[in-house]
Every structure is written in structure tokens, then in C-alpha cells.
Amino acid sequence: MLHQIHLSGKNIDYQLKRSRRRSIGLKINHRGLQVSVPFNLPITDIDSVLRNKADWILKKLATWHDKIPLNSVGTEHVNGPYLLLGGFWKPALSACRQIQMTPAHDNAATISSDFDTLFRLEQIRKWIMAWYQQQAVTCFSERIALYAEKLNVPKPSFKLSQARTRWGSCNSRSIIRLNWQLIQLPLYLIDYVVAHELCHLIEMNHSKAFWKLVASIYPDYQQARSELKKYKFVHPVTTM
């Protein structure tokens, strides 16, 4: 349920969830402020806690707001520009009147009335999403092979994911999952996530031994971890 509170001169919307928990929980992510409380806790008590936490709430919301959003490939906007490996691209018509992606600084025709007559909006959106997935599969496969060789382990299987909050994961069956939105980031950040997940093939934890292993194949991992926090996920409309 959506609620609102006035904190330090600002109206803050928040999602309120009641459950059998015994304490108040606060979480801030791409959905904004989420508040979890016990079933019978009065709104006045909730507001009191939020006011006491006002500085923390406003700081976290500002930090999230300043993050760089990734492309969602939504139906409401297809003109671009679209991030790919840290650079910007846009849809255009090829000489044979087919959709293609071109660097944003090119003078090629962008989405226009020509597209309206040749393609439906949904067709364009699906084409761009398929383009992203193709780019991701090709790039991730190459980077996994590279870092698997550095680790001296067999190249594992991998799948694209559309997780809302995770760049990647590695399960006990040695299957790597990489968020398709990674393909929008600069290559050195993709490399860090790939190296990180591959190291879980050897160390299924985040111990000192794990981070030492990461450093052995990706020495600048701490800087990459920090830079990744500048970006925020935008959940895609389509499914894979």
C-alpha cells in the first residue's frame, strides 16, 4: 500500500507492507522507500520512526536518484540513445529499409515516420531487445573464456538473466548467470563481474581467499566494485 510522509520539507512516498514481523524494517532500492511493519503497529508510530530516520532516508534516496539508469527497452520510448559497452547507439533504417543500430553520433536516419509505416512499436522494441541479447551473449562468452583461462578452469556454461538487483551469480552446478544489462556497461566493468563469478567456481564464498583469487586475475577489482554502484537497474518490459 502506498503512503506518504513529509520529511525535512519533502513529501516522500513509500510502500507499506504489514506482516507478522516484530520490528520495523526499512529498505531503499529502485522502487524507492519500502517499509515493513508488524500487523497492528499504528501509523503514528511508523511516522515517528521515519522522522527519526529522516536523514538516513533522504541520503539513501538521493544516492539512488543520482545513479545512472540503464536502458529498459520500454514501449514508451524507442528512439534511444542506447548504451552498449559504455557508448551510445540509436536505431536507424538500413539502405534496404531494415532496422539496424548505429553509433549515436552518426548521421544515419533515426526512428521517424518511416518506422511508423514499416514497423509497429512493439516490433522495434523486440528487435532492440534481441540486439542487446545477441551482443551480450557474444561479449560474455568471449570474456568468460578469457578469464577461465586466467584461472585455469574449464569454460563454464552461462545464461543471461534479468535479475532486478544482481549483476551475476554462480550456483553449485557451476552455471554462471550474467544480467543482460551488463552489456550496457564499459568492458572493464563487465570483466570484473565475469572474473568475480568465475572465482566462485573455486571459492563459493566471499572470504579473504576469494578476494585474493579475484585480485590475482583482476587487480583493480575494488575500483570496479565502487564504479558499479553508480549504476541502477531498470527492469525490462520483456522477458527472455
Side-chain angles (χ1 to χ4, degrees):
M1 184 180 297
L2 186 64
H3 288 255
Q4 188 177 84
I5 188 170
H6 196 70
L7 299 177
S8 300
K10 297 181 179 180
N11 289 323
I12 305 299
D13 293 327
Y14 66 92
Q15 291 287 339
L16 180 63
K17 180 180 179 180
R18 293 184 180 274
S19 66
R20 294 179 179 177
R21 62 181 297 141
R22 297 181 178 180
S23 61
I24 295 180
L26 306 180
K27 182 168 66 173
I28 294 173
N29 57 22
H30 64 291
R31 297 178 178 176
L33 174 61
Q34 298 171 64
V35 182
S36 300
V37 302
F39 277 120
N40 298 321
L41 192 69
I43 285 292
T44 53
D45 290 358
I46 299 172
D47 287 351
S48 178
V49 170
L50 295 181
R51 290 191 179 96
N52 288 335
K53 292 284 188 179
D55 290 344
W56 180 87
I57 292 170
L58 294 174
K59 181 180 179 181
K60 291 294 183 181
L61 286 173
T63 298
W64 190 265
H65 178 76
D66 291 341
K67 287 177 180 284
I68 302 169
L70 300 178
N71 293 116
S72 64
V73 196
T75 56
E76 75 287 349
H77 174 69
V78 292
N79 291 344
Y82 290 95
L83 275 168
L84 178 74
L85 297 174
F88 290 102
W89 293 68
K90 64 183 178 182
L93 281 178
S94 68
C96 56
R97 312 290 282 174
Q98 297 297 315
I99 305 173
Q100 66 178 14
M101 294 298 279
T102 184
H105 56 77
D106 281 4
N107 293 323
T110 56
I111 296 287
S112 64
S113 58
D114 292 332
F115 280 84
D116 296 334
T117 57
L118 293 173
F119 306 101
R120 298 194 311 273
L121 193 63
E122 181 68 9
Q123 286 180 292
I124 301 171
R125 182 184 67 82
K126 287 184 176 180
W127 188 95
I128 294 172
M129 191 65 202
W131 172 78
Y132 263 136
Q133 293 178 21
Q134 181 181 26
Q135 296 293 326
V137 168
T138 300
C139 177
F140 298 169
S141 180
E142 291 175 353
R143 308 320 285 179
I144 288 173
L146 173 65
Y147 282 93
E149 184 177 356
K150 289 178 181 288
L151 271 179
N152 195 29
V153 297
K155 181 183 176 182
S157 300
F158 85 96
K159 298 179 179 181
L160 296 183
S161 83
Q162 52 181 4
R164 294 175 183 269
T165 59
R166 302 180 71 177
W167 294 113
S169 65
C170 176
N171 64 23
S172 58
R173 293 177 295 166
S174 299
I175 297 176
I176 304 291
R177 293 184 182 273
L178 298 173
N179 197 307
W180 73 269
Q181 292 182 88
L182 263 178
I183 196 60
Q184 300 178 43
L185 305 186
L187 185 59
Y188 67 92
L189 294 181
I190 296 173
D191 281 356
Y192 162 66
V193 176
V194 168
H196 181 117
E197 299 307 334
L198 284 175
C199 286
H200 280 311
L201 296 174
I202 300 173
E203 295 283 347
M204 287 294 290
N205 52 56
H206 287 106
S207 63
K208 289 183 179 179
F210 169 79
W211 290 114
K212 184 177 180 180
L213 190 61
V214 173
S216 71
I217 61 171
Y218 196 95
D220 295 330
Y221 76 90
Q222 290 180 319
Q223 179 179 346
R225 287 185 73 197
S226 178
E227 289 196 37
L228 277 175
K229 295 177 182 178
K230 297 178 182 178
Y231 295 88
K232 65 180 175 182
F233 295 93
V234 179
H235 192 61
V237 174
T238 189
T239 58
M240 294 187 190

